[in-house]
Amino acid sequence: MRVDQPLQRRSAPLSQRKGEAEQPVVIVVDDDASVREALSELILSAGFQPASFASTRELLGAGILDSPGCLILDVRMPGASGLDLQHDLARNGNFKPIIFLTGHGDIPMTVQAMKAGAVDFLTKPVRDQTLLDAVIAGIAMDARRRAEAAVVRRNVERLDTLTPRERQVLREVAYGRLNKQIAFELGISEITVKLHRGNVMRKMEAASIGELIRAWETLPAPMREAGAGKTLA
């Protein structure tokens, strides 16, 4: 693909048809219209949905960054650069996979982008398959992150159903304590520990202690540490 050659765009604006809302979107940000057209054409030909913007400011105003998929960014553009956008997204907790595609790259710039988590740093012109391989990797990375985030949300919701005492028991179980040790630590009977432990297993929907511990490990650190003090049984 010669990204400096304009291609006729066959794509319509980002579709909102039923069933497409959660399809991966490949977002292209480049101030060169011919590059945006060529990349959108290539993305469409590979079966992905493109969305193109002339600047990072235009992108940020579109409200599309939370959609699944990845970003293809030029490095140097009027206003905020692709590297600036990468930095701002990371600072705000948005780690959407980014592929840099530029005609002005250098080694320090490449190192900076890759250290900050870029999927790849490519130079124009780029082979179609090279770019598509990076896009596929970026989409797969985003899917993994979203799946992991869904697991965390699910376990946080389940954690919210536990009483303060059940949270304490969960924490002690996750630390490998025996019922006798938990009873001593919390100042309650072993029978009470067993009751709380059973409730925890049921509410966290864990079929085994190993599964319970894995669910615990997905929780944000502040939640794991909260409520460590003793409470009434």
Side-chain angles (χ1 to χ4, degrees):
M1 178 191 72
R2 295 284 302 182
V3 295
D4 57 344
Q5 296 297 317
L7 295 174
Q8 181 180 0
R9 182 168 182 146
R10 296 195 300 263
S11 62
L14 187 61
S15 174
Q16 297 299 320
R17 293 193 300 270
K18 183 178 179 181
E20 291 191 359
E22 288 304 309
Q23 286 185 349
V25 178
V26 182
I27 301 172
V28 177
V29 185
D30 196 300
D31 61 328
D32 188 325
S34 66
V35 171
R36 296 196 302 274
E37 294 289 336
L39 292 179
S40 294
E41 184 77 5
L42 177 63
I43 291 163
L44 275 174
S45 72
F48 300 119
Q49 178 66 53
S52 63
F53 302 91
S55 67
T56 57
R57 181 177 181 179
E58 186 179 316
L59 167 63
L60 293 173
I64 196 175
L65 277 170
D66 288 336
S67 62
C70 66
L71 282 161
I72 299 177
L73 300 180
D74 192 6
V75 174
R76 293 174 179 166
M77 294 177 287
S81 70
L83 291 172
D84 291 334
L85 179 61
Q86 182 189 38
H87 174 75
D88 290 344
L89 290 177
R91 184 180 58 191
N92 293 321
N94 186 333
F95 296 98
K96 180 180 285 292
I98 295 174
I99 301 156
F100 285 101
L101 179 61
T102 181
H104 308 284
D106 54 38
I107 292 177
M109 192 181 293
T110 303
V111 171
Q112 178 184 346
M114 298 304 289
K115 286 179 107 175
V119 176
D120 211 336
F121 196 101
L122 306 172
T123 55
K124 303 170 185 174
V126 62
R127 291 180 60 250
D128 289 3
Q129 194 58 54
T130 299
L131 180 58
L132 290 177
D133 285 345
V135 167
I136 291 168
I139 290 174
M141 182 185 298
D142 184 65
R144 287 194 300 272
R145 288 176 177 171
R146 288 174 179 275
E148 290 168 359
V151 169
V152 172
R153 287 194 300 272
R154 180 195 68 197
N155 288 331
V156 167
E157 289 171 358
R158 292 174 180 173
L159 182 74
D160 287 342
T161 68
L162 302 187
T163 66
R165 178 63 87 194
E166 288 167 353
R167 290 192 186 202
Q168 288 181 317
V169 171
L170 169 59
R171 183 173 183 271
E172 295 298 317
V173 170
Y175 283 178
R177 308 286 203 279
L178 301 175
N179 287 347
K180 182 186 300 185
Q181 294 170 311
I182 297 173
F184 177 80
E185 176 66 24
L186 300 183
I188 57 179
S189 69
E190 283 191 59
I191 293 177
T192 302
V193 170
K194 289 179 181 178
L195 289 173
H196 286 315
R197 186 166 170 165
N199 288 337
V200 169
M201 294 284 289
R202 175 177 53 81
K203 291 180 179 181
M204 294 298 293
E205 299 185 27
S208 66
I209 293 299
E211 190 173 318
L212 182 65
I213 292 173
R214 286 192 294 274
W216 163 265
E217 290 174 345
T218 68
L219 298 171
M223 289 189 173
R224 294 198 302 268
E225 296 302 321
K230 294 183 180 181
T231 64
L232 296 176

